[in-house]
């Protein structure tokens, strides 16, 4: 079992920034593809970004390209989601998810992931 813990969610004004963190002490995340997903009230959970196992290639949903950035800190065994220029439509619970994968594998499809965190709330409002 892999327990993922997200943190960093908060209330922020439009145009502001947040950095979300996803950490585990159970496995080495370098061998896992890690994705960030979000779910707003009444909506489906959607893939936002992912970083692939091994070569750390990144992928983003179109709505966040140029504003969000995903990265790894190998020493801290943590994956970050830096979110800039936040908009009210970014308001959601954000989840990280992981799957042990071959180098370079990536997906923004939620059913492809095996392990999930509990979520962290991001609210963008003035």
């Amino acid at each position: 079992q892999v327990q993922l813990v997200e943190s960093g969610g908060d209330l922020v004004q439009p145009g502001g920034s947040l950095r979300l963190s996803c950490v585990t002490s159970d496995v080495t995340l370098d061998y896992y593809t890690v994705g960030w997903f979000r779910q707003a009230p009444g909506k489906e959970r959607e893939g936002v970004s992912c970083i692939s196992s091994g070569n750390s290639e990144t992928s983003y949903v179109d709505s966040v390209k140029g504003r969000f950035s995903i990265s790894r800190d190998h020493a801290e065994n943590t994956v970050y989601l830096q979110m800039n220029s936040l908009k009210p439509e970014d308001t959601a619970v954000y989840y990280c998810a992981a799957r042990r994968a071959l180098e370079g594998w990536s997906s923004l499809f939620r059913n492809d992931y095996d392990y999930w965190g509990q979520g962290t709330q991001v609210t963008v409002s003035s």
Side-chain angles (χ1 to χ4, degrees):
Q1 189 68 17
V2 176
Q3 185 173 11
L4 302 172
V5 179
E6 305 99 332
S7 62
D10 206 345
L11 170 64
V12 63
Q13 292 188 343
S17 297
L18 285 175
R19 188 178 77 163
L20 306 183
S21 301
C22 175
V23 63
T24 181
S25 60
D26 296 325
V27 297
T28 300
L29 285 178
D30 290 358
Y31 303 113
Y32 286 71
T33 291
V34 177
W36 282 98
F37 293 76
R38 66 186 179 186
Q39 188 165 19
K43 293 191 176 182
E44 295 283 322
R45 189 172 299 188
E46 69 165 346
V48 175
S49 180
C50 67
I51 187 164
S52 64
S53 168
N55 61 8
S56 292
E57 288 187 354
T58 59
S59 300
Y60 301 92
V61 68
D62 285 347
S63 60
V64 307
K65 284 180 180 176
R67 300 189 298 123
F68 290 12
S69 177
I70 191 170
S71 63
R72 293 182 186 272
D73 184 321
H74 301 283
E76 297 296 324
N77 203 35
T78 300
V79 172
Y80 298 104
L81 184 68
Q82 178 67 43
M83 305 187 296
N84 300 326
S85 302
L86 282 161
K87 304 175 180 180
E89 51 264 42
D90 295 317
T91 296
V93 178
Y94 282 71
Y95 300 88
C96 71
R99 171 175 169 164
R100 173 118 187 183
L102 295 176
E103 179 173 331
W105 181 86
S106 66
S107 173
L108 291 177
F109 184 47
R110 62 184 180 182
N111 286 356
D112 284 339
Y113 288 83
D114 299 315
Y115 306 106
W116 291 83
Q118 81 290 346
T120 186
Q121 177 70 47
V122 172
T123 303
V124 185
S125 175
S126 54

